[in-house]
Amino acid sequence: MENPDKVQGTKANAVDLPWGLPSLRIAPANKNDARKWKVELHRRLHAEGHGELAAQLASTPPMEDFLSSVFSLSSHLRDIVLVRPSRLAIVFKDRPDAVFSHIVDETAALGTTGLEDAQIMSALREAKAKTALLCGLADLGGWWNCEQVTHALTRFADAALGAACDHLLISMAQAGKVELANPSEPQKGCGLIVLGMGKYGAHELNYSSDIDLILFFEPAQMRFNTDDLTTLFTRFAKSLIRLLQERTGDGYVFRVDLRLRPDPGSTPLAIPVGAALNYYEAYGQNWERAAMIKARAVAGDREAGNAFLKELAPFIWRKYLDYAAISDVHSIKRQIHAHRGHGEIAVAGHNIKLGRGGIREIEFFAQTQQLIAGGRLPQLRQLRTIEALNALEKERWIDTRARDELTNAYWYLRQIEHRIQMVADEQSHTLPDDKAGLTRIALLSGARDIARFSEKLNATLRTVERHYAGLFEKSPELTMPGGNLVFTGDDDDPATVETLAAQGYSRPSEVIRAVRGWHFGRFPAVRTAQARELLTELTPSLLGSIAATGEADTTFAAFDRFLGGLPAGIQLFSLLKSNPALLRLLLLILSAAPRLAETITRRPHVFDAMLEPAFAGAMPGAKTLASRLADALERTTHYEGLLDAARIFASEQKFLIGARVINRSLTTDAAGAAFAMLAEVMVNAVLAGVIQEFERRHGKVAGSRICVLGMGRLGSRELTAGSDLDMILLYEHDPAAEISDGSKPLAVSQYFTRLAQRLISAMSAPTAEGVIYSLDFRLRPSGNAGPLATQLTAFLKYQHEAAWTWERQALTRARPVAGDAAFCATVAQAVREIVNLPSDARKLSSDVREMRALIDKEKPAANVFDVKTARGGLVDIEFIAQWAMLRQRTGAEAAPVSTLAMLQHAGELIAAADFDTLCNALHLYNSVQQVLRLCTDEKFDPAAAPPGLLHMLCAHTDMPDIRTVEGVLKNTQKAVREIFERLLG
């Protein structure tokens, strides 16, 4: 054979290799060894009739050097080529992507070609060897990145597994065991479900990976000639393992692992779907939920497989945030460290997958957060680790830095994992602990020496460990700074009494007795051992946080009542233990906001949304809220379910707005707009659902269009937590239409009246889930005496000819909030024209004064804290603003509707000093009203109010004590009433 050194540099009869040149440099551990394998490669190529490829390599020194270096470092890749050099010729025949696609297509077709078992086993193993060679070289030389390699390995696994399943199903059919629904496509409709799990399910197979499978079968979808399907498909599973895993002279295809199936120690290799669903519902563990995150239907009846996963979704993706899953998932990680010796970070002998800072920590980092929030946020339900990290960053569960650092670390560690496995095709994740072995991995990774390799690897592992530890590895403290906490035994522990007294509890013995009752399972929430264990871990921080409120005894009693109302506690205790800030907010609500406390007592899962990172940021916009509501409603299957889902969503979002106000991340002025935005989103969604259900029975009226006109505080975007929604329903239709076109037709006027009634019922009917909003239609023409729905022409006629001044006042705050967009624009323009009608200034002032006097008489304020109706209160400011709007008039396309905007629009009608007084008063009143409406349904009496509520009022009004608040309110109301009488007197 010609010496390859002599032919290098010549291009006689050589053609450029389709792959081009490697972009990464792999240096050999020993140059003499590399030279030896270079010579041997040329010898084998010539001996097998591949002289042209030998010439191409000889004329391309960088490629030749690359191959010889790889062969000197990887016995596995070297043997693949030297045993059968034609494999290298096939791989280099075209670009990597094209060659790989051809291999996959050929492999996928093997199962239906009528081969015998031995033949298909040989063919699959030959395809695997080509795939291993192609992926190994493409990875090491930089033609493919790590993501492309993992995806390619997974594609080949799909093809090989599919071919094996085709072959076995056809064999079963030929033996008369089953009848195939589609003989030309054996897997289609066959009733056999093959799920790929772990890295296989996620398209993330590593270089020498096992494939984790679970086999189910659906008897109802199969045609079979046996009474024992379990035995039949258990034999199928064993044959599948043999086809893929058995080592022959040609090697093996994939090692197959079926141990992720339900209860693998006592169940057959293939399980009926019904039995599997029953198992997951009754006995499924959190680790199985985590495993199912990556489950994918990979072979068999994929349609049935996808249906199975869809049915299993409620088990995988809990409806509420699932912080209880953290302990289970993290305990697995602790066991790995404890039993396998992976507790420290090192380079020599370090396990890249299971060790600290390794691949498993990145996977757990993503998967546990997916488990926690995936039920509420479907966008987190990603199979692939990197896609999960991207989704977590997008939803603000992690920051951009965490995503980028973990993404880079993941692919770097996966590359190292591949290099470890490429050496000898071993399913290993552990770095060598000797210098020669480490040098081999370092060189395969493109590093020049162990030192540089170790430096980068150490930095990567530390980065992963930091992110993982920050999320999971904070152990609970079971003692309180300054003393012990012991709640066992019949007698009070003196040291515990002393500790609690020092913390500020005036009745420590009552606290001890209550906590002892928790431990004895006095409430439903603490009936289980796990719940009591979690509460025990939470108790020290809980008692410390309660003491920190300054009202230790009162707040503790409120928490005890709250605990007594909970139906279950595991999720909530896990959540509070993981989030001290949330615990502090809960205690603030319990001590200061009885109304919100009642909400969380009845529906503790409203806390879930407070755990989402977005809660600490800006309020979500209308589009975001509407999208989240749509996701919640899509999961319902009938009309009543839709309304219940809307009730739950509304209750939760009202609570979240209130919680933002209480922790002062949302100002009281902004709260009005936030409550109004939520109300508008709810009205639109519920109206759409009502119309759809109504039309199903009664059809449509030709040319009908609807506009819901928001009035009062809904129109002016100044809602509070307890506000009703004032509205008017307007409509129009084709003049010729007389009845609707449904199976139960209605006359036109009856049709829209009934539709309005349906909307009121949907929004306001009390159920176990509460109400969405109470609706008030009394501002419609003729009030309660008029029809619930009004035709636009009749509405305009009434407003022009018969409306009272107070009704024109009301229209200053009117704006369309739902309905047909074009019709709403028409209504908005018509309302502006009515508001702009000329007014008799003297009569206008007189009418506004009379209406205010009537309110003074019929709805007198209980005290100065009743800031709405108090003399000089909110009604005075609103009437001044509305009076100014009707006096000033505006031709603007978008007239102001909020009280502040109307005051700003008043111009010279209101003197500058009066304007400042009114604006300051409006801000003060809004602060008081928003806090009081959030916190209590009762008339506010400062002498009987909880201390926490008094503190909150002072904080939101920036005043030192409640007496000061009361005094400022008196003076402000007096000043506002003087302005009212001066302007309208």
Side-chain angles (χ1 to χ4, degrees):
M1 167 186 170
E2 194 172 8
N3 188 324
D5 285 347
K6 292 185 178 179
V7 297
Q8 286 181 6
T10 69
K11 287 205 174 188
N13 301 318
V15 180
D16 288 340
L17 290 165
W19 282 39
L21 300 179
S23 59
L24 299 178
R25 181 178 180 274
I26 303 295
N30 183 293
K31 291 184 178 179
N32 289 332
D33 193 47
R35 176 179 173 79
K36 177 183 74 174
W37 293 118
K38 181 191 300 185
V39 172
E40 182 62 15
L41 173 61
H42 277 271
R43 188 185 72 77
R44 294 289 183 94
L45 286 173
H46 281 285
E48 295 291 329
H50 299 291
E52 182 178 352
L53 176 57
Q56 288 176 308
L57 293 174
S59 64
T60 316
M63 180 65 89
E64 192 176 44
D65 291 342
F66 166 72
L67 289 175
S68 61
S69 295
V70 168
F71 291 170
S72 73
L73 298 169
S74 168
S75 59
H76 174 57
L77 290 172
R78 181 179 72 226
D79 291 346
I80 288 176
V81 172
L82 297 185
V83 166
R84 193 166 296 168
S86 59
R87 293 166 177 166
L88 186 64
I90 291 170
V91 164
F92 277 167
K93 189 175 183 179
D94 203 342
R95 292 173 294 102
D97 290 353
V99 173
F100 178 71
S101 293
H102 181 70
I103 293 172
V104 167
D105 291 343
E106 280 191 335
T107 303
L110 288 173
T112 56
T113 53
L115 298 175
E116 299 293 331
D117 281 8
Q119 293 173 311
I120 196 168
M121 289 173 69
S122 177
L124 287 173
R125 283 153 180 75
E126 178 60 22
K128 174 61 183 298
K130 294 173 187 173
T131 298
L133 177 63
L134 188 152
C135 290
L137 295 180
D139 190 353
L140 291 170
W143 287 280
W144 283 354
N145 60 34
C146 194
E147 183 176 10
Q148 290 171 293
V149 173
T150 58
H151 188 65
L153 290 165
T154 306
R155 277 184 63 196
F156 174 75
D158 284 351
L161 178 64
C165 287
D166 281 340
H167 174 78
L168 292 174
L169 287 169
I170 290 173
S171 297
M172 289 167 61
Q174 290 172 345
K177 300 293 185 181
V178 297
E179 296 178 28
L180 298 176
N182 298 277
S184 61
E185 297 179 71
Q187 297 176 73
K188 192 171 183 180
C190 70
L192 170 71
I193 295 171
V194 184
L195 297 185
M197 308 294 289
K199 286 186 169 62
Y200 181 28
H203 299 276
E204 296 172 335
L205 279 182
N206 57 47
Y207 191 74
S208 294
S209 188
D210 297 348
I211 54 172
D212 294 303
L213 303 178
I214 304 179
L215 272 62
F216 302 113
F217 58 90
E218 179 56 87
Q221 291 186 230
M222 310 178 75
R223 290 176 286 185
F224 47 87
N225 298 314
T226 177
D227 294 330
D228 190 356
L229 281 176
T230 299
T231 299
L232 178 68
F233 282 102
T234 296
R235 289 174 180 166
F236 177 97
K238 291 178 179 178
S239 297
L240 183 65
I241 293 172
R242 183 175 62 85
L243 288 182
L244 297 177
Q245 181 172 290
E246 185 177 292
R247 288 187 177 272
T248 70
D250 298 312
Y252 71 103
V253 188
F254 287 103
R255 290 172 291 269
V256 179
D257 192 337
L258 297 177
R259 289 175 297 173
L260 289 179
R261 69 186 185 277
D263 195 8
S266 59
T267 55
L269 297 180
I271 302 170
V273 165
L277 291 173
N278 289 338
Y279 167 83
Y280 288 120
E281 182 178 354
Y283 307 108
Q285 304 295 307
N286 276 322
W287 72 263
E288 290 174 302
R289 293 176 56 214
M292 280 294 176
I293 286 178
K294 294 179 179 291
R296 175 172 63 93
V298 294
D301 189 340
R302 296 197 185 197
E303 186 175 333
N306 291 330
F308 174 81
L309 289 174
K310 186 175 182 180
E311 193 166 355
L312 200 61
F315 163 71
I316 307 169
W317 308 110
R318 299 287 169 81
K319 184 178 180 182
Y320 302 109
L321 295 184
D322 193 10
Y323 267 80
I326 284 185
S327 296
D328 277 1
V329 176
H330 184 47
S331 70
I332 299 169
K333 191 64 171 64
R334 285 200 300 265
Q335 290 170 32
I336 291 169
H337 291 328
H339 298 300
R340 301 190 184 178
H342 304 308
E344 300 299 327
I345 286 183
V347 173
H350 192 74
N351 190 300
I352 295 298
K353 177 182 179 181
L354 303 179
R356 284 194 179 272
I359 296 166
R360 181 58 55 86
E361 289 192 352
I362 303 174
E363 293 171 340
F364 278 3
F365 180 92
Q367 287 171 4
T368 42
Q369 295 185 89
Q370 287 178 281
L371 282 179
I372 290 165
R376 293 171 54 85
L377 300 173
Q379 52 270 44
L380 296 184
R381 302 176 189 180
Q382 304 293 333
L383 295 177
R384 309 183 72 178
T385 302
I386 299 307
E387 290 173 357
L389 290 173
N390 288 333
L392 288 167
E393 188 274 338
K394 187 174 182 181
E395 295 301 318
R396 295 166 61 186
W397 279 80
I398 61 175
D399 58 29
T400 303
R401 179 182 176 185
R403 180 201 63 187
D404 293 345
E405 288 184 348
L406 288 175
T407 297
N408 292 336
Y410 180 79
W411 289 126
Y412 176 71
L413 294 175
R414 290 301 306 273
Q415 283 184 327
I416 303 303
E417 178 185 49
H418 285 184
R419 271 74 181 146
I420 293 170
Q421 296 173 357
M422 282 177 188
V423 173
D425 190 28
E426 294 175 346
Q427 177 64 348
S428 172
H429 311 276
T430 303
L431 286 163
D433 54 10
D434 61 290
K435 182 177 180 181
L438 268 181
T439 299
R440 185 188 302 272
I441 302 303
L443 294 174
L444 281 170
S445 303
R448 295 182 184 178
D449 50 46
I450 293 177
R452 300 188 191 194
F453 172 73
S454 299
E455 181 180 0
K456 182 174 181 180
L457 178 59
N458 250 314
T460 302
L461 296 172
R462 296 291 179 194
T463 296
V464 174
E465 182 190 38
R466 173 168 49 83
H467 286 294
Y468 181 84
L471 194 60
F472 301 116
E473 296 193 339
K474 294 178 181 177
S475 300
E477 293 292 336
L478 300 180
T479 59
M480 179 181 286
N484 292 333
L485 291 174
V486 177
F487 300 99
T488 57
D490 295 329
D491 299 325
D492 294 350
D493 173 60
T496 301
V497 172
E498 184 178 343
T499 299
L500 292 173
Q503 288 289 321
Y505 291 91
S506 62
R507 297 186 293 275
S509 291
E510 292 184 13
V511 174
I512 294 171
R513 185 164 56 252
V515 174
R516 190 181 292 132
W518 300 348
H519 291 172
F520 290 153
R522 181 163 56 96
F523 297 139
V526 288
R527 294 277 162 81
T528 68
Q530 186 180 1
R532 293 192 294 274
E533 180 182 339
L534 287 167
L535 187 55
T536 298
E537 293 181 356
L538 175 66
T539 298
S541 60
L542 170 66
L543 294 175
S545 297
I546 288 174
T549 65
E551 300 286 341
D553 297 294
T554 303
T555 306
F556 180 86
F559 182 83
D560 189 57
R561 289 193 301 273
F562 165 69
L563 191 61
L566 290 176
I570 291 175
Q571 296 295 330
L572 183 63
F573 301 152
S574 301
L575 188 155
L576 294 177
K577 188 177 69 154
S578 305
N579 296 270
L582 186 63
L583 174 59
R584 291 192 293 272
L585 181 55
L586 167 64
L587 297 177
L588 178 59
I589 291 170
L590 291 175
S591 63
R595 181 176 188 162
L596 290 182
E598 182 184 354
T599 300
I600 57 174
T601 301
R602 285 187 293 104
R603 194 172 291 115
H605 289 301
V606 296
F607 272 123
D608 292 355
M610 294 170 64
L611 267 267
E612 295 176 14
F615 177 73
M619 271 290 301
K623 287 185 178 179
T624 301
L625 276 180
S627 174
R628 292 177 182 175
L629 176 57
D631 288 342
L633 300 186
E634 279 179 5
R635 295 194 284 271
T636 62
T637 56
H638 53 86
Y639 178 65
E640 291 303 326
L642 180 143
L643 295 183
D644 274 342
R647 292 176 184 115
I648 292 170
F649 185 87
S651 175
E652 180 179 284
Q653 294 302 322
K654 289 177 195 176
F655 177 88
L656 292 177
I657 294 171
R660 280 185 162 97
V661 173
I662 283 178
N663 72 2
R664 306 192 73 179
S665 63
L666 184 70
T667 67
T668 49
D669 290 331
F675 280 121
M677 178 179 67
L678 171 63
E680 194 168 339
V681 167
M682 298 307 305
V683 170
N684 274 275
V686 174
L687 177 63
V690 167
I691 290 174
Q692 183 178 14
E693 178 68 10
F694 193 75
E695 289 178 349
R696 187 178 64 81
R697 295 171 59 86
H698 302 296
K700 299 180 180 181
V701 172
S704 64
R705 298 196 295 176
I706 292 173
C707 170
V708 175
L709 195 61
M711 308 292 289
R713 288 184 164 271
L714 172 61
S716 63
R717 298 186 178 91
E718 296 170 317
L719 285 181
T720 65
S723 293
D724 296 345
L725 303 186
D726 294 304
M727 56 178 60
I728 298 172
L729 194 147
L730 301 173
Y731 66 89
E732 68 175 7
H733 59 85
D734 286 350
E738 296 181 354
I739 62 172
S740 61
D741 61 6
S743 59
K744 295 184 178 181
L746 296 172
V748 170
S749 60
Q750 187 184 22
Y751 181 93
F752 290 103
T753 297
R754 289 268 192 93
L755 181 61
Q757 289 170 338
R758 286 288 186 89
L759 178 62
I760 293 172
S761 176
M763 295 285 286
S764 305
T767 70
E769 301 296 347
V771 300
I772 303 174
Y773 284 97
S774 293
L775 302 190
D776 191 336
F777 276 67
R778 288 176 296 175
L779 290 177
R780 66 188 187 272
S782 302
N784 287 338
L788 280 174
T790 309
Q791 193 167 8
L792 180 59
T793 53
F795 174 78
L796 297 179
K797 178 179 173 63
Y798 176 87
Q799 294 295 338
H800 282 279
E801 298 177 4
W804 297 76
T805 298
W806 68 265
E807 291 177 296
R808 287 190 62 211
Q809 283 180 251
L811 284 181
T812 61
R813 300 204 285 186
R815 66 183 177 88
V817 295
D820 179 85
F823 184 49
C824 285
T826 300
V827 171
Q829 179 60 35
V831 168
R832 283 195 294 272
E833 290 173 0
I834 294 168
V835 172
N836 279 315
L837 290 173
S839 299
D840 181 307
R842 185 182 298 274
K843 184 177 186 308
L844 174 63
S845 298
S846 175
D847 288 349
V848 173
R849 283 199 316 273
E850 287 181 12
M851 178 56 68
R852 186 66 186 98
L854 181 64
I855 294 173
D856 282 341
K857 179 181 178 182
E858 296 188 351
K859 297 181 179 180
N863 54 41
V864 295
F865 292 95
D866 191 354
V867 293
K868 179 179 179 180
T869 58
R871 292 173 58 86
L874 265 174
V875 171
D876 290 64
I877 300 176
E878 291 169 352
F879 276 21
I880 290 170
Q882 294 160 18
W883 164 83
M885 276 294 294
L886 296 175
R887 278 284 310 272
Q888 188 79 349
R889 300 160 60 189
T890 174
E893 288 190 7
V897 290
S898 74
T899 302
L900 178 60
M902 291 186 202
L903 292 174
Q904 292 169 334
H905 180 73
E908 296 180 357
L909 280 176
I910 301 176
D914 289 345
F915 173 81
D916 290 342
T917 299
L918 293 173
C919 289
N920 291 334
L922 183 63
H923 172 70
L924 174 62
Y925 296 163
N926 275 334
S927 297
V928 171
Q929 182 168 248
Q930 288 288 3
V931 170
L932 293 182
R933 291 289 178 86
L934 275 173
C935 296
T936 180
D937 287 321
E938 307 295 329
K939 287 289 184 181
F940 177 74
D941 178 2
L949 177 52
L950 300 182
H951 291 323
M952 192 183 302
L953 262 179
C954 294
H956 281 277
T957 54
D958 293 320
M959 297 184 199
D961 53 57
I962 199 66
R963 288 187 178 181
T964 303
V965 177
E966 189 170 5
V968 171
L969 282 173
K970 284 181 181 177
N971 293 333
T972 302
Q973 289 165 7
K974 180 181 179 181
V976 169
R977 178 48 68 104
E978 288 174 355
I979 295 171
F980 179 87
E981 291 176 345
R982 185 167 64 251
L983 289 174
L984 284 85

